[in-house]
Amino acid sequence: MEFRPIDLANKLDVGTSALRHYEEWGIVPKASRKANGYRVYTEVHEAYFQCIRAMYPGFGMKVVRQVMPLLQESKFTEALWEVNAVQADIFERRKQAMDAIEILSPNNIQDFMQKQQKKYYTIGEVERELHIPASTLRHWEKEDLITPERNPENGYRIYTRDDMRKLLIIRTVQPSVYLLDIVRDILDKVQQHRLMDVRKIVLDSLAYMDYQIEQQLRGMHYLYELCKLLKRQDSGL
């Protein structure tokens, strides 16, 4: 079965320019051309386009652009592992968000602070206490999430008890909310003692992950159907 670009675009409710962009990006096979130069799409193209549109909400275009070329090379297993890595990541982020909800209760924050008896901590001590790599601490400093003082004697970074609390919160919420701008907003709310607002941000993040996993399931269905079609095509059936 053959489709004109306009017919397939109308069927998928997209513009013909989107079809061209997908082809230019190499995430669908090249269309054949008629004598007049017009593209001709097939049911395989339709399956690719449907799969792309179904996967985008749950996986994003970056993953789509990694997976679709693999399918064109008949690397079906490799494509599935790419998708699986994304699902494993969201599973871990959900676990961390659930931990964040517990840690961000006023009692748990207070318990944490009571355990911090020292006035200052070195970067190595922060690494051991909070399990945050020094490279990550420097990155957060570069992003203005934390501004440690400097030891006047040697210039080394030193972290206060309040810094330790901030770092605990950043470490706890950053994997689930992802964007550093949201982390900054969370820190502002913590400074204002608005822990309930902070917990709501994390709960909203959890709700979005629930939506995302549903969209991923839908995308996986279309990916499975596309793989079946391509395998049949490869086998000549």
Side-chain angles (χ1 to χ4, degrees):
M1 186 175 184
E2 294 184 349
F3 299 93
R4 296 183 305 165
I6 187 63
D7 294 332
L8 191 53
N10 288 338
K11 186 174 183 179
L12 299 172
D13 194 26
V14 298
T16 54
S17 60
L19 305 185
R20 291 196 302 273
H21 287 319
Y22 293 162
E23 190 175 341
E24 289 166 3
W25 293 344
I27 58 177
V28 298
K30 288 285 186 183
S32 62
R33 302 269 186 161
K34 288 185 175 291
N36 57 14
Y38 290 165
R39 288 176 171 82
V40 178
Y41 292 119
T42 65
E43 64 173 357
V44 171
H45 290 98
E46 180 186 14
Y48 266 100
F49 289 129
Q50 287 178 332
C51 185
I52 290 167
R53 287 177 56 75
M55 288 186 65
Y56 174 71
F59 293 99
M61 189 53 71
K62 179 181 178 181
V63 174
V64 169
R65 294 183 71 165
Q66 292 171 336
V67 168
M68 293 299 123
L70 292 173
L71 299 184
Q72 293 177 59
E73 298 173 21
S74 298
K75 295 180 179 178
F76 305 115
T77 303
E78 289 90 334
L80 292 177
W81 280 115
E82 288 288 340
V83 170
N84 180 261
V86 178
Q87 294 183 305
D89 177 69
I90 194 175
F91 177 76
E92 286 301 318
R93 287 197 292 117
R94 184 179 185 276
K95 283 173 55 180
Q96 289 163 335
M98 297 293 288
D99 290 342
I101 293 298
E102 182 177 353
I103 290 171
L104 289 170
S105 69
N107 288 340
N108 285 334
I109 290 288
Q110 186 176 2
D111 288 346
F112 172 79
M113 293 305 295
Q114 286 175 350
K115 293 176 184 175
Q116 311 310 310
Q117 298 297 324
K118 297 180 62 173
K119 185 177 181 181
Y120 293 110
Y121 294 79
T122 66
I123 194 168
E125 289 171 331
V126 173
E127 279 191 291
R128 290 191 295 273
E129 288 277 338
L130 296 178
H131 307 290
I132 303 172
S135 58
T136 301
L137 293 171
R138 295 188 187 98
H139 175 67
W140 289 347
E141 182 180 344
K142 184 178 178 181
E143 294 291 338
D144 293 324
L145 293 175
I146 191 79
T147 307
E149 299 178 21
R150 294 281 181 164
N151 187 323
E153 295 181 1
N154 53 28
Y156 292 166
R157 294 171 176 83
I158 51 176
Y159 297 84
T160 65
R161 292 176 73 248
D162 188 55
D163 290 335
M164 293 290 281
R165 181 182 65 144
K166 287 182 181 178
L167 288 168
L168 171 71
I169 291 167
I170 297 169
R171 186 206 70 184
T172 300
V173 303
Q174 195 268 333
S176 57
V177 300
Y178 197 71
L179 296 176
L180 292 183
D181 284 342
I182 299 178
V183 177
R184 291 188 185 92
D185 183 42
I186 286 173
L187 290 175
D188 288 342
K189 286 177 169 55
V190 170
Q191 290 297 101
Q192 299 167 33
H193 304 287
R194 295 164 58 186
L195 278 180
M196 292 303 294
D197 290 344
V198 174
R199 285 165 62 85
K200 183 180 184 306
I201 291 172
V202 180
L203 285 169
D204 288 345
S205 176
L206 276 167
Y208 178 72
M209 288 184 218
D210 289 344
Y211 161 81
Q212 195 174 9
I213 198 68
E214 287 185 7
Q215 294 301 311
Q216 287 184 358
L217 180 61
R218 180 173 181 270
M220 285 292 291
H221 168 73
Y222 278 86
L223 178 61
Y224 174 70
E225 292 299 326
L226 175 57
C227 287
K228 282 203 307 183
L229 175 62
L230 295 177
K231 287 179 179 180
R232 287 200 303 270
Q233 185 184 53
D234 287 350
S235 64
L237 296 178

